[in-house]
Amino acid sequence: MDQPNILVVDDEGDFLETLMKRLQRRNIPALGCSSGEEALQLIRTSPFDVVVLDIKMPGGMDGIQTLKEIKKVRPETEVILLTGHASIETGMEGMQSGAYDYLLKPILLENLLEKMAQALERRGGAAQRAQSERIRSLLPKG
């Protein structure tokens, strides 16, 4: 079965490392990077089904700018925004710019997995539906 093609973009090294380990423990292969510029380089060379993208990143590109560029390069890619700065306005701006959804940090892994499953379903292909079901199978029952 095809694996979900996930990219996680966050400038907080500890958060990124922890999230990557938690996804890997669940056999969800994901690639991580720490800047919008790096994410765009990766996206230009290979498509990703879902990008989990931090909104607040220092440097040249914040998450909203990165989102807009991702949508120019690969409009089919679903983007889930993360913000640690409870800014509903920024989350809404992201949604208007093409994001699938957003979550506030600190995130519960189960909530992120559910959003990833929903985003994969929205992609609509048989492979994405299978990936979505696989991710959902990892969620606690009940």
Side-chain angles (χ1 to χ4, degrees):
M1 181 191 311
D2 286 329
Q3 294 290 320
N5 201 359
I6 311 284
L7 177 63
V8 180
V9 187
D10 198 302
D11 64 299
E12 294 176 48
D14 289 346
F15 175 83
L16 181 62
E17 183 180 334
T18 300
L19 182 55
M20 297 303 292
K21 283 180 182 171
R22 293 180 77 189
L23 291 172
Q24 288 165 359
R25 271 199 301 264
R26 288 159 179 82
N27 295 315
I28 299 173
L31 193 57
C33 67
S34 60
S35 73
E37 293 87 352
E38 190 179 350
L40 286 169
Q41 287 176 346
L42 291 166
I43 286 167
R44 284 187 180 104
T45 58
S46 62
F48 288 87
D49 293 318
V50 177
V51 176
V52 178
L53 176 63
D54 189 22
I55 291 178
K56 298 284 187 198
M57 292 186 291
M61 296 183 80
D62 68 12
I64 298 296
Q65 292 169 302
T66 304
L67 164 67
K68 290 176 181 176
E69 290 302 312
I70 288 170
K71 287 299 186 176
K72 284 180 193 171
V73 176
R74 301 230 185 242
E76 73 283 0
T77 299
E78 297 294 353
V79 179
I80 300 169
L81 298 172
L82 302 179
T83 181
H85 306 272
S87 169
I88 302 300
E89 296 81 20
T90 308
M92 294 306 291
E93 180 185 351
M95 300 284 288
Q96 291 166 353
S97 298
Y100 174 70
D101 209 341
Y102 67 96
L103 293 169
L104 300 178
K105 286 182 182 177
I107 59 167
L108 290 173
L109 184 63
E110 289 74 23
N111 291 350
L112 178 60
L113 291 174
E114 178 59 32
K115 290 289 181 207
M116 289 166 65
Q118 291 170 4
L120 286 163
E121 282 175 0
R122 185 163 132 171
R123 289 285 314 266
Q128 284 84 10
R129 281 194 299 278
Q131 294 164 6
S132 172
E133 288 171 21
R134 186 177 143 343
I135 290 173
R136 279 224 169 84
S137 74
L138 300 170
L139 295 172
K141 306 295 181 240

